[in-house]
Amino acid sequence: MANNKKLWSWLAGIFLVSFGILGLLGREIYVQAPPVPERVVTTSGQELFTKADIQTGREVWQTLGGMQLGSVWGHGGYVAPDWGADWLHRESTTLLDIWAKRDGAKNFAALSLERQAALKARLQSELRTNKYDAKTGAITVSPDRAAAIDIVGDHYAQLFSSDPKLSGLREQYAIPEKTLSDPKQREQLGAFFFWTSWTSVTQRPGQAISYTNNWPHDPLVGNQPAASLGIWSIASVLFLIIGVGWLTWYQARKGEDEHAVVPASDPFLRVNPTPSMKATTKYFITVVGLFLAQIVLGAVTAHYAVEGQQFYGYNISEIIPYALTRTWHTQLGIFWIATAWLATGLYFAPMLSGHEPKYQKLGVNILWGALLVVVIGSFAGEWFAVQQKLGHLQNFWFGHMGYEYVDLGRFWAILLFAGLMIWLTLVGRALWPALKKPGETRGLIGMVFVSTISIGLFYGAALTWGRHSPLSMIEYFRWWVVHLWVEGFFEVFATAIIALIFAGLGLVRARAANTAVVFSTAVFLTGGILGTLHHLYFSGTTTPVIAWGAMFSALEVVPLALLGVEALHNYRATKAAPWVQTYKWPILFFVGVSFWNLVGAGVLGFAINPPISLYYVQGLNLTPSHGHAALFGVYGLLGIGLMLFCLRTSYRTTAWSDAMLKPAFWALNIGLGAMVFLSLVPQGIYQAYHSVTTGFWYARSPEVIHSPVMETLVWMRVPGDTVFSVGAIILALFMAKLLIGPRVKQAIGQVEPEPAMVPAE
């Protein structure tokens, strides 16, 4: 007990110190964010852009889908270019051609190597020198650069119109025709793209690196990896080795946990589901429905990489363009996984405490309705936004926020936050009696309670920015949601729930499970909180962010080193007693979680996390290979496993089909593996080669994205996607059979009793 209190103290200390450092670095990011100039002018005083143009251009970009259509600072979609990198290279080559023609050459390529070298040096001096005046708020550019800016701006104005000269490029970028009808908005969109380009090449005052730490890689303009990237990458590897070594030593010193005496029968047979527990079934039906919808939209989104405006010959881009299908696909992933976990909390809270609060079922039903309103309402708002049917103010509140994973408009985000507060209240008041009651599981219930509070509150980070907040700060808080809310506290919640399940089944000793959960949470949050910073290396941040992010994102991998042991223990649990076979496939889904945690979060995650690695591959297909393997492989399988546990204890008298769960499990895992390793990883490696040897702009260009190699690798997704889809369909059929199938009198050879509800000890 004393050791457990010590672990809780360590956990509290880690939490406070880590968030203290994260807060101080957030202030650093705010103070050092790239400035948005009041004006961009030439040396002769000609005004090119104003601050209002840049800010309005960002809002125009948001209505187009924002990060779902191309990327900014490397974050977003992968079919269209990274707009800042694309503008930067186009402006550079245009300026070189202007100078070459003045020298009498046809273009820059026609010059001698000596003259080319001289103009490259002039180009780097022109672009990298910081000519922002903090007193006047103006950026001053030369007349030659202004001419290049005008030419590049015209290119984007034509691209986002219906100009037939660029129809082929629009299709390659998956941009629909007549995207923007207002010429002024097209000009303002170009102003925003110019600003993102300016931040990526202009040196910070007094430093030899740009505002984005010399990202993206483009040797033509002198964007090469800074020394700090290599230094902190080496340090992160050393930190990882030290962490793994310490954890291995700790586990060896601790020794094996004392094995529990497995009960002769299933302890959960004593649990009689309450009305509110039964009401969660509709959540799980919703989970499967949203999961199937996500798969359909994923197939359409992937196909847009080949046919940018059509789906097997049918022009669908005018109704549901790429930006919209990708928005809905990514959002659905968050929605159905979160719904599964929220329903698990609502199901287990009364089960753990043996207490059904008054009006609990009503609250569960109201919350389900509220979640549907958020899903349907946000999807409708995003459609109206992308179809250019909302003004910029209306778009901010009801349309498309433009930021990946937090795309829903502010009104819908507030409703979602309110729904989480309702969930927090429902789970908290049902858990409270169990939390007050002394017992071996009290610590585990306390962890569930703390993580429930964190889940409810931390989504509030999505409400912290306004229409014109600095983009660096929006990125900072956006990753609070994506990394801390989704990847952090939901995982703590799930870990505690799983430990309670195994303790409730008598497969592990409650005291040992309690200690293990607090310890693993402490280890996870040690790297997980400050590891958030690895998403921000090139988002207008400074070197300290790279240092902290590199070191602590490496520590995120440390607890994954022993996942093989956890997977083995979970698998052995299925053979602990004959009655445990009742839970075989839910437990095997947890085994799958351990595997994909190691492969998706560990191997593929660490492959891109070190600063020097991410410098070259951020915004390439190695990122979604990690994303798919980690998001579905870990959190998706975890959500399905938790759902199956809830359904297994709730539907005791309904025919349960292990024969259907077996192919569903293997199809989902094999399909995911094929999708990742036959398509996404090879695509990412192919792009990474071009990013290293030529430049990031080229790795994201149509020459690479639509090369025969890349399009072949896109088609290589079909086998994996097909197998994966079959697994999802079987899972849906299993759910249908469970809910509408015939009733049985026996479950695993035991006559079903009619028990009173008792808490799981």
Side-chain angles (χ1 to χ4, degrees):
M1 183 63 71
N3 184 53
N4 200 39
K5 288 182 178 179
K6 185 177 180 181
L7 284 173
W8 274 98
S9 298
W10 273 104
L11 179 59
I14 289 166
F15 190 90
L16 293 174
V17 171
S18 296
F19 273 105
I21 296 172
L22 192 62
L24 290 174
L25 290 172
R27 180 183 182 278
E28 166 87 359
I29 292 171
Y30 178 78
V31 171
Q32 299 292 338
V36 178
E38 295 294 332
R39 302 165 67 229
V40 178
V41 297
T42 66
T43 51
S44 61
Q46 177 190 357
E47 185 175 87
L48 303 180
F49 306 121
T50 65
K51 185 174 185 178
D53 289 331
I54 296 170
Q55 291 179 331
T56 304
R58 192 174 86 183
E59 292 190 292
V60 173
W61 165 75
Q62 289 174 260
T63 66
L64 296 173
M67 290 179 178
Q68 305 295 354
L69 185 66
S71 60
V72 166
W73 288 343
H75 296 299
Y78 307 108
V79 176
D82 181 274
W83 300 114
D86 189 66
W87 179 293
L88 176 61
H89 198 76
R90 288 181 184 276
E91 182 185 333
S92 303
T93 55
T94 302
L95 189 52
L96 288 172
D97 282 341
I98 289 172
W99 289 335
K101 290 175 182 177
R102 188 171 297 155
D103 286 351
K106 180 181 179 181
N107 52 36
F108 176 74
L111 294 172
S112 66
L113 293 178
E114 292 80 2
R115 186 58 185 152
Q116 285 185 0
L119 288 185
K120 286 180 182 178
R122 180 182 174 185
L123 174 72
Q124 292 183 16
S125 175
E126 177 84 16
L127 297 185
R128 300 189 70 81
T129 301
N130 195 331
K131 297 179 181 178
Y132 171 73
D133 188 335
K135 293 181 180 179
T136 64
I139 294 174
T140 304
V141 299
S142 68
D144 288 343
R145 187 175 183 186
I149 290 171
D150 284 340
I151 292 171
V152 178
D154 286 343
H155 164 78
Y156 286 106
Q158 294 170 13
L159 178 66
F160 288 93
S161 70
S162 56
D163 191 325
K165 290 183 293 186
L166 293 181
S167 60
L169 195 58
R170 277 192 291 276
E171 182 172 2
Q172 290 175 322
Y173 289 169
I175 297 175
E177 298 293 329
K178 303 176 184 177
T179 309
L180 291 172
S181 58
D182 186 344
K184 181 63 175 178
Q185 288 194 351
R186 295 198 294 266
E187 180 184 332
Q188 292 168 328
L189 179 63
F192 172 63
F193 290 167
F194 162 78
W195 177 80
T196 62
S197 167
W198 180 84
T199 64
S200 66
V201 72
T202 303
Q203 294 180 343
R204 283 187 177 276
Q207 299 186 41
I209 55 175
S210 73
Y211 285 104
T212 58
N213 291 298
N214 285 357
W215 187 92
H217 180 229
D218 192 341
L220 182 64
V221 298
N223 265 10
Q224 301 280 10
S228 60
L229 302 182
I231 291 171
W232 289 110
S233 295
I234 294 171
S236 71
V237 174
L238 296 176
F239 220 44
L240 169 63
I241 295 171
I242 292 170
V244 171
W246 173 81
L247 183 62
T248 304
W249 171 83
Y250 177 87
Q251 289 295 112
R253 180 173 176 267
K254 183 171 71 74
E256 288 286 331
D257 292 329
E258 183 181 350
H259 294 292
V261 177
V262 180
S265 62
D266 183 355
F268 283 171
L269 285 176
R270 299 176 297 157
V271 176
N272 190 29
T274 68
S276 71
M277 292 166 67
K278 292 179 179 178
T280 61
T281 299
K282 64 176 70 68
Y283 285 77
F284 297 126
I285 296 172
T286 304
V287 165
V288 175
L290 296 179
F291 182 32
L292 293 175
Q294 187 199 16
I295 291 172
V296 172
L297 286 166
V300 176
T301 303
H303 190 79
Y304 267 129
V306 180
E307 291 186 282
Q309 296 175 341
Q310 301 189 18
F311 187 74
Y312 294 103
Y314 293 94
N315 187 352
I316 62 173
S317 63
E318 294 182 1
I319 303 173
I320 48 170
Y322 171 84
L324 194 61
T325 63
R326 192 177 190 274
T327 298
W328 290 348
H329 174 69
T330 55
Q331 228 176 273
L332 280 170
I334 300 297
F335 278 146
W336 77 258
I337 292 171
T339 300
W341 294 6
L342 295 178
T344 299
L346 294 171
Y347 186 88
F348 273 96
M351 180 178 173
L352 294 171
S353 66
H355 172 64
E356 172 86 345
K358 193 175 182 180
Y359 303 122
Q360 183 78 354
K361 179 182 177 181
L362 177 62
V364 170
N365 290 334
I366 290 174
L367 179 59
W368 177 75
L371 290 175
L372 288 186
V373 169
V374 170
V375 173
I376 296 171
S378 65
F379 277 27
E382 287 153 358
W383 186 87
F384 280 105
V386 173
Q387 295 294 333
Q388 300 299 299
K389 297 181 183 298
L390 297 177
H392 294 156
L393 178 61
Q394 291 82 5
N395 180 69
F396 176 82
W397 283 100
F398 302 102
H400 202 306
M401 193 65 74
Y403 304 112
E404 195 175 24
Y405 296 111
V406 286
D407 302 282
L408 60 169
R410 178 57 51 84
F411 176 76
W412 309 112
I414 292 173
L415 284 188
L416 180 55
F417 183 70
L420 289 169
M421 292 299 99
I422 295 173
W423 178 76
L424 170 59
T425 302
L426 293 172
V427 174
R429 71 184 195 140
L431 275 180
W432 189 249
L435 198 60
K436 294 191 298 182
K437 181 181 177 181
E440 289 190 340
T441 59
R442 185 178 182 182
L444 289 173
I445 295 171
M447 184 62 76
V448 172
F449 188 76
V450 170
S451 59
T452 300
I453 295 173
S454 299
I455 290 169
L457 295 179
F458 270 84
Y459 185 77
L463 310 178
T464 55
W465 61 81
R467 289 174 61 189
H468 302 305
S469 296
L471 187 56
S472 295
M473 289 307 298
I474 294 175
E475 281 293 274
Y476 172 75
F477 283 115
R478 181 172 77 91
W479 287 108
W480 273 51
V481 178
V482 181
H483 189 92
L484 289 175
W485 185 65
V486 177
E487 299 181 30
F489 296 110
F490 264 120
E491 182 157 322
V492 173
F493 168 80
T495 300
I497 284 288
I498 292 172
L500 277 166
I501 288 172
F502 283 119
L505 290 172
L507 301 178
V508 297
R509 295 182 64 86
R511 184 175 299 176
N514 188 10
T515 302
V517 167
V518 178
F519 175 76
S520 62
T521 301
V523 173
F524 173 74
L525 292 183
T526 297
I529 295 174
L530 289 174
T532 306
L533 297 168
H534 82 263
H535 299 285
L536 304 173
Y537 293 155
F538 313 118
S539 297
T541 56
T542 53
T543 301
V545 171
I546 293 176
W548 285 97
M551 301 293 278
F552 283 88
S553 66
L555 286 185
E556 287 186 274
V557 184
V558 169
L560 307 182
L562 298 179
L563 281 176
V565 177
E566 180 182 339
L568 179 62
H569 286 168
N570 288 345
Y571 177 73
R572 285 176 175 172
T574 64
K575 302 179 181 300
W579 61 264
V580 183
Q581 291 296 307
T582 305
Y583 305 99
K584 176 182 177 179
W585 289 105
I587 292 174
L588 285 180
F589 271 94
F590 297 150
V591 174
V593 168
S594 297
F595 172 81
W596 286 108
N597 224 337
L598 179 61
V599 174
V603 177
L604 296 177
F606 192 72
I608 66 175
N609 276 3
I612 193 63
S613 175
L614 200 58
Y615 177 81
Y616 290 109
V617 304
Q618 177 163 291
L620 305 182
N621 274 287
L622 282 175
T623 302
S625 67
H626 157 64
H628 281 74
L631 184 60
F632 178 79
V634 178
Y635 305 110
L637 289 181
L638 189 55
I640 293 172
L642 292 171
M643 176 182 74
L644 292 176
F645 254 110
C646 295
L647 292 173
R648 192 66 190 100
T649 56
S650 183
Y651 286 84
R652 287 287 187 179
T653 60
T654 301
W656 181 273
S657 180
D658 281 349
M660 297 181 74
L661 286 179
K662 180 177 180 179
F665 172 83
W666 287 112
L668 290 172
N669 282 278
I670 293 172
L672 177 61
M675 182 195 313
V676 170
F677 292 106
L678 294 182
S679 181
L680 291 173
V681 168
Q683 286 181 59
I685 293 173
Y686 181 72
Q687 286 182 290
Y689 169 80
H690 290 293
S691 178
V692 173
T693 57
T694 304
F696 175 78
W697 65 272
Y698 184 67
R700 286 284 296 275
S701 69
E703 289 80 6
V704 171
I705 296 294
H706 292 284
S707 66
V709 172
M710 284 291 286
E711 292 203 345
T712 299
L713 290 173
V714 170
W715 283 108
M716 288 296 291
R717 281 193 61 160
V718 173
D721 285 5
T722 302
V723 173
F724 186 87
S725 300
V726 169
I729 292 171
I730 295 174
L731 182 65
L733 293 175
F734 164 84
M735 174 74 80
K737 181 180 178 182
L738 183 69
L739 298 179
I740 63 177
R743 301 287 172 175
V744 296
K745 293 184 178 180
Q746 292 186 331
I748 315 300
Q750 297 189 30
V751 177
E752 282 293 323
E754 294 290 340
M757 183 183 65
V758 296
E761 292 292 343

